[in-house]
Amino acid sequence: MTFRQFAFRNVIRNKRTYAAYFLSSAFSVMIFFVYALFIFHPDIKEGVTASTAIELMSAAEVIMYVFSFLFVLYSVSTFLKSRKREFGILMMHGMTRNQLNTMVFLENMLIGIAAIITGIGAGIITGKLFLMIGSRMIGIESLPFYLSGKALGWTVGAFLVLFLCIFIFTTTLVRVNKLIDLFQAGEKPKKEPKVSKVLSILSAILLITGYYLAATTTLETMFFRILPVIGMTIIGTYFFYTQLSLFLTKLLQKNRLLFWKKTNLITFSSLAYRLKDNARMFFMVTIVSTVAFCAVGTLASMNVLTKEFRDNYPAAISYIAKGEHPIHEQNLQQIKQELKEKNVVYSTLKIPIKYIEIIDSSDEYARERVPVVAFSDYKKSSEMAGYSFTEKELAGTESLALLTASLETFDHQTYTLKQEKIKLLQNKETEHVVFPYQILFSEGLVISDDLYQKLSAASTDTFIGFYTDEFEKTAGIADHLVEDGAAYAPRDDEAIDPKEYAMTVSGTLYHLKMSMYRMSLFVALLTGAFFFIAAGSFLYFRLYADLEYDRRLYLTIKKVGLTDGELNKIVTRQLVLLFFVPIIVAMIHSVFAYMALQSLFTMSIATEMMIVLACFFIAQVIYFLFIRHHYLRNLKKTLI
């Protein structure tokens, strides 16, 4: 038997422990390859959604590659630790250090090359389906299957480099000073876990503070709090597993009534040791799972934006005509003609917008002219949009800040007008958005009808709104007038736009926005699935790394009368701990992350979040039942 054959048989002999590592690696290669198929597809044309999709997939490729490196490194280190006794026997029979490193290298490369071939093969089989779903989600023509040489070379090269780099690290992992250390690696008595009260308290403070800051985050504070909260949660989670959980376990062991009840003695006695041994694995699984939950949940919640879209774009088509120019009538006639061709039933509203000169304002960013709308016109446009109007009519110099987006906020401001130095006090905002932000360049005001009639305008624009319940049908209308659904308002004082109009087409904007969200969700689902499977693989490795220790432990206990039912109960409890503690902690982290995310929406995203977490939990239960069945079967085989 040659040395290469010996390494090959080692892999075959350890196929049970290598299985999850191999399948997870092959899955990451497959996802990487199908992303590359899309990125390098020659039929992908220039466009907002296509370029965004490519950017998203490229970012996902980088994230997956970095994580794959950490995942493979952890997996290999776990194998090597569980095989130290085997290495000791080989070295006692004359194997040199270089031969040992070569054997580990050959084993890793065999698994790596097999994973690359399997992953690419699976990617070729599923590639057509992926391209079809991907092109449908971003709203482009269906992409035919095309085996890109760049995608193939990029995937093979990237993962060969990854496995070679892992080998360099593994040579340091098998370095030991004495042969006896290799033989006794799995038999040395474990030291009593030590707990630091200070670090335990610090963990509790960091987690509670992080949760509190996340739960009380607002739109204004989100960007200041996000990094500190993430940092506190990561550090707090690490100390939770390495310190606080051990501290709580020791308190539990002091409860005699609970500790001496039935088989709790066996379960709790080894609990502290298992927590200590698995602390880093629990930490990694928790963080990886939290990232997966948050990524999928965040994108799933974007569906709520469909409901908010109507609030931000009450008119299917909004048109602002600046001044009296013959092009406006020509544009409006063309819009009406296109609506007629698409059989869209609509109604229109035309209202004036005055630009009033101001000489002073408490708003340091205020412009020389502020757009104002009469209260009665604001009421008409709100009712045309279908809102229930209950706002109190304005009087005198009262004014309302004119909202142009549902998430927009205003501070209290005062404006001194050039005309008669009239002072306007703006201390409230409108309840509804009637003009989208793209067509109103500067912040506007709603004033009383009497004051509106009294004021002289420096210039007057005209708003024309087209209202319909079938706003999706307006997609593509007036494409030659707008770019990607919007023509922004030209400034009065800066010639940044030669057009004499501003305009939004909500059907086109909705189509573009939903295409990008669906594509983002698709990428997040694939990446989330990758992280979730990797987290499951971490648990699988840890479980089978402890199999030999568990076998010796239960064999000893069986000799003093442990029944099969009691064995099932003890093993199930320990597997529940292994599988569900990190997932439940990750779900708690995600719930608070979702609470912070809620500040970005005016509507509740609780339903979408609960569905995502429930799906992940059900998947984890299925995975747990599958692993429990096979683990118990393997454990009982060795006890006979």
Side-chain angles (χ1 to χ4, degrees), residues 400-412:
L400 298 172
L402 187 59
L403 280 180
T404 55
S406 55
L407 281 174
E408 195 174 10
T409 57
F410 281 90
D411 296 326
H412 294 190

Side-chain angles (χ1 to χ4, degrees), residues 431-445:
E431 288 185 4
H432 309 295
V433 174
V434 292
F435 305 137
Y437 72 93
Q438 292 98 333
I439 64 168
L440 206 63
F441 182 73
S442 59
E443 295 175 354
L445 296 172

Side-chain angles (χ1 to χ4, degrees), residues 209-218 225 229 589 592-593 595-597:
T209 307
Y211 289 160
Y212 173 77
L213 291 175
T216 56
T217 294
T218 61
R225 290 188 180 184
V229 168
H589 287 353
F592 284 95
M595 290 171 76
L597 183 67

